Amino acid sequence: MGNKTLAIIKPDAVGDKNTGKIIDMILEAGFIINAMKMIHLTKSSAQGFYAVHRERAFFNELVDYMTSGPCVPIALERDNAVEEFRKLIGATDPAKAAEGTIRKLFAKNIQFNAVHGSDSDENAVKEISHFFSNDELINIK
Ligand code: ADP
Ligand code: MG
């Protein structure tokens, strides 16, 4: 299992002043931050990041949402990072997310769902490189 994943604290959660609470939950769950920044995504960057969803009915709405304000991408490390992070955030739809998960606590609905987490080791590597160059990533030994 890979040990890297990409999280994004999405614009709704940043706007709701939940950034600190979410980072605290991530650290308490045993993840190590390799890199982090606050960035206001451009339309073309958001379209590129979510290119796999370009045929979906919600694609334009998703791009509008992700460009609506600053977000906080975070490159994370821990054992089995992708699966463990998706467990921590809960289901895409907060109505279906387990109690105590980040989305259960902070998401508004299936669209404005507070956080992103990579869905595979392969995508984690691609998504981390969307936001961070190699020399921005802390290499923990
Ligand atoms: P996840 O973020 O859990 O991996 P997806 O990759 O399926 O979920 O979707 C990407 C993002 O698109 C979701 O996190 C959410 O913000 C948005 N989204 C997903 N499904 C819908 C939907 N049915 N309507 C509106 N937005 C959606
Ligand atoms: Mg996804």
Side-chain angles (χ1 to χ4, degrees):
M1 292 296 162
N3 61 357
K4 309 272 187 192
T5 195
L6 181 85
I8 306 175
I9 303 175
K10 294 182 175 181
D12 57 323
V14 174
D16 291 341
K17 302 183 184 172
N18 288 325
T19 304
K21 289 170 211 152
I22 292 171
I23 291 172
D24 203 37
M25 286 181 72
I26 293 170
L27 294 173
E28 287 294 328
F31 291 87
I32 290 165
I33 294 174
N34 285 168
M36 176 166 73
K37 64 175 76 164
M38 182 174 274
I39 184 173
H40 195 142
L41 283 173
T42 62
K43 194 170 172 177
S44 69
S45 181
Q47 286 170 329
F49 183 79
Y50 280 116
V52 298
H53 293 314
R54 66 186 171 274
E55 306 300 334
R56 309 281 287 273
F58 60 78
F59 180 69
N60 288 333
E61 268 177 59
L62 175 58
V63 170
D64 287 347
Y65 162 42
M66 292 302 292
T67 58
S68 65
C71 66
V72 179
I74 313 174
L76 293 171
E77 178 173 342
R78 70 157 278 171
D79 292 346
N80 201 11
V82 165
E83 194 183 330
E84 290 298 327
F85 191 70
R86 290 197 69 100
K87 242 189 254 172
L88 177 67
I89 67 179
T92 309
D93 181 353
K96 296 178 184 153
E99 289 301 326
T101 58
I102 293 175
R103 282 171 166 166
K104 186 70 173 185
L105 289 166
F106 301 115
K108 294 183 176 68
N109 54 49
I110 194 169
Q111 179 179 20
F112 299 113
N113 61 0
V115 279
H116 169 82
S118 306
D119 63 6
S120 67
D121 293 344
E122 190 190 347
N123 285 337
V125 171
K126 283 188 202 155
E127 291 179 0
I128 289 168
S129 70
H130 188 90
F131 291 102
F132 302 106
S133 61
N134 274 343
D135 61 9
E136 287 176 304
L137 292 160
I138 308 293
N139 201 355
I140 295 144
K141 291 280 173 224

